[in-house]
Amino acid sequence: MRRLRTLSTVAATIVTGLVLAACTTGGGAPSDGADRTTAAVVVFQDLSSIDPAQGVDQGSMNAMHNFFEGLYRLDAQNQPVPAGAAALPEVSDDGLVYTIRLNPDARWSDGVPVTAHDYVFAWRRAVGMPNAAEHQRTLGFLQGADQIVAGTADPSTLGVEALDDLTLRATLRAPAAFFPSLLATPAFFPVPQHFVTAQGAAFATTSDHVLFNGPFVLEGFAGPGIGGDWAYARNELHWDADAVALDRVDVRVIRETSTAVNLFNAGEVDQVVISGPQVQANSGREDFVVDQTATVGFLGYNHGHPVLADQRAREAISLAIDREALTERVLADGSTPATGLVPPGLATSPTGTDFAADAGDALPTDTARAAALWQQVRADHGFTDLTLRLETFDADRIATVAEYLQNALETTLDGLTVTVTTNPVGVFLDKTARQDFDLYLPTWAATFADPSSHLSLFGTGESSNWGGYSNPAFDSLLEAARTTHAADAQARWDDLLAAQQVLLADHGVTPIYFQPSTLLRTPAFRGVEFRTSGPAFFFGNAYFA
């Protein structure tokens, strides 16, 4: 066995926050000062799920990192550091077997120890659920997961076992050097077997029907799709509770950016994400913050639509989009033109080059060619006018992009009408999962620091492949990266570059822009962690100074 780098003390590596006195502000408007232990932040979307096996949208996953905890968390370089584990894994020489010792001080919020059996139960439960395919891109690295999700094997055959209460063993289908980083994602979080079994269908329906093992417990969550504010309250039973500076983080759901900014300016909230005109108006302020993300906004297609199934139609749509004009003159919020599906800064090659740089720019603008292709499509499919329904979710930046797309496509492509429907995020996810759209406009943030985090979305049969795109050449390259070349870093890198090239040449989806995170944050509110892949806005190390 070879051992990955270990850390002398878990607490010393994962906790950097300043410990403050355990007192609250007593409510009222936030104010600067080291005596504060309560923060207030704004989000724009309801919390869709608090079940690690169910949450697939970024908002839910970001929230879950604050009240749940996996074996590892990611540091500032997106490298795993122990949390629910006592150390980094021991890995077999063939790269397939990971043996992990658990943190003996980890507890659920009812005081019951977190054991290896909870992880086994959680992972088997996740691959056996009706929506298991939603997490197949991550859980699929485990031996047997694909067969279980396909319904041809029992969850008990999954490549995970508890050697004892504090020792977990995971077996992979193929080597994956970034597997420890995957273990920091909600798909691999544990759930308390004793509590889930007792709760049955009620588990995770509200914050009263969950146990927590993270630095906070969740309060005030009324249920998926119900809406309303919630809060993170210090978890006194967390193994590192003494290093958590905040007693409480109140999360307010406010859909209008202007309203949220007004509350921030009035001192009523400490953090609000902004976009578009609000970025332009506030970028010179001391409290303006930019975090780099690995997030892409893209246009997806219903490949079962008789016109959109034609590659020429999709190419015409892509060529009609002026990404530079959109990002620089319309959004003007730090977004940049997409050059591919995989954003810059996510992953580097064995020789140290960035994936986006290696891939180059495969997304030109050519309105004349777009119009000509569209005329061919109209003639061959025998239509004069066509209406396409674009489904989006409720967010200011998305609304701006949707309005731009509507105008650009209708202006360039004769006879085309684009109707835009804006949905709450839960409804959007439901519609896209049912392929209830012609076009859809999401953003996707990397779950882990590897190009496959984005590319594997569109493999044939993937649950996240909402439009039903399928190309055997693309699938073959993804499979080679997962299996044949899994242990050959350069060959795997080349497979993924070629896979993106196939996807973009086929216009399976149309990447539009790379999205930063721009926000206003009270200067005294420090230590809020943001990762380019995985969780955004982890408050376990946050404090006021």
Side-chain angles (χ1 to χ4, degrees), residues 273-288:
V273 176
I274 59 176
S275 60
Q278 293 290 354
V279 172
Q280 300 168 43
N282 293 286
S283 60
R285 296 172 51 156
E286 176 191 6
D287 45 21
F288 176 73

Side-chain angles (χ1 to χ4, degrees), residues 12 83 87 94 270 336 356 360 507 525:
D94 62 5
D270 296 295
T336 56
H507 298 278
F525 187 31

Side-chain angles (χ1 to χ4, degrees), residues 223-459:
I226 293 176
D229 303 342
W230 67 89
Y232 309 127
R234 178 202 295 272
N235 180 3
E236 298 294 351
L237 294 181
H238 186 250
W239 61 271
D240 207 22
D242 289 345
V244 177
L246 298 179
D247 287 334
R248 185 179 182 87
V249 180
D250 290 308
V251 183
R252 301 181 59 177
V253 181
I254 300 172
R255 304 192 191 284
E256 296 295 329
T257 304
S258 58
T259 301
V261 171
N262 288 339
L263 290 173
F264 180 85
N265 290 334
E268 296 185 29
V269 297
D270 296 295
Q271 177 177 289
V272 55
V273 176
I274 59 176
S275 60
Q278 293 290 354
V279 172
Q280 300 168 43
N282 293 286
S283 60
R285 296 172 51 156
E286 176 191 6
D287 45 21
F288 176 73
V289 178
V290 179
D291 288 317
Q292 295 305 313
T293 76
T295 301
V296 61
F298 65 87
L299 189 64
Y301 304 96
N302 184 338
H303 287 261
H305 189 285
V307 175
L308 296 176
D310 189 327
Q311 185 268 353
R312 296 172 301 170
R314 303 191 302 271
E315 183 178 358
I317 288 172
S318 180
L319 289 169
I321 300 170
D322 188 336
R323 293 165 180 80
E324 185 173 340
L326 168 64
T327 56
E328 293 187 5
R329 298 199 293 272
V330 179
L331 289 175
D333 62 357
S335 296
T336 56
T339 55
L341 184 69
V342 179
L346 175 64
T348 54
S349 73
T351 59
T353 56
D354 184 84
F355 187 90
D358 281 0
D361 189 350
L363 298 169
T365 300
D366 189 336
T367 55
R369 175 166 169 74
L373 282 171
W374 189 252
Q375 291 298 349
Q376 294 174 19
V377 171
R378 293 173 77 194
D380 291 351
H381 289 271
F383 69 88
T384 301
D385 298 317
L386 178 68
T387 298
L388 295 177
R389 180 165 51 96
L390 172 60
E391 296 290 337
T392 71
F393 61 91
D394 191 8
D396 283 356
R397 185 184 280 113
I398 286 290
T400 300
V401 174
E403 183 180 0
Y404 166 82
L405 291 174
Q406 183 181 45
N407 180 68
L409 299 183
E410 290 181 352
T411 299
T412 304
L413 308 179
D414 287 347
L416 178 62
T417 299
V418 178
T419 62
V420 179
T421 302
T422 302
N423 306 275
V425 65
V427 176
F428 174 79
L429 291 170
D430 177 65
K431 282 185 173 181
T432 50
R434 292 186 288 107
Q435 207 173 70
D436 184 9
F437 60 84
D438 299 325
L439 307 166
Y440 67 99
L441 178 64
T443 58
W444 194 271
T447 307
F448 52 97
D450 186 78
S452 65
S453 182
H454 283 81
L455 293 170
S456 62
L457 294 172
F458 304 106

Side-chain angles (χ1 to χ4, degrees), residues 152-231:
T152 60
D154 188 83
S156 63
T157 64
L158 186 68
V160 61
E161 58 182 319
L163 302 185
D164 55 47
D165 284 353
L166 292 176
T167 310
L168 186 71
R169 176 173 291 169
T171 303
L172 309 190
R173 57 171 287 184
F178 51 85
F179 183 66
S181 295
L182 284 179
L183 295 176
T185 64
F188 287 101
F189 285 178
V191 294
Q193 181 173 1
H194 69 286
F195 187 80
V196 175
T197 302
Q199 289 285 307
F203 176 71
T205 52
T206 73
S207 51
D208 293 331
H209 293 282
V210 185
L211 293 179
F212 309 101
N213 70 326
F216 299 98
V217 298
L218 179 69
E219 295 182 350
F221 176 63
I226 293 176
D229 303 342
W230 67 89

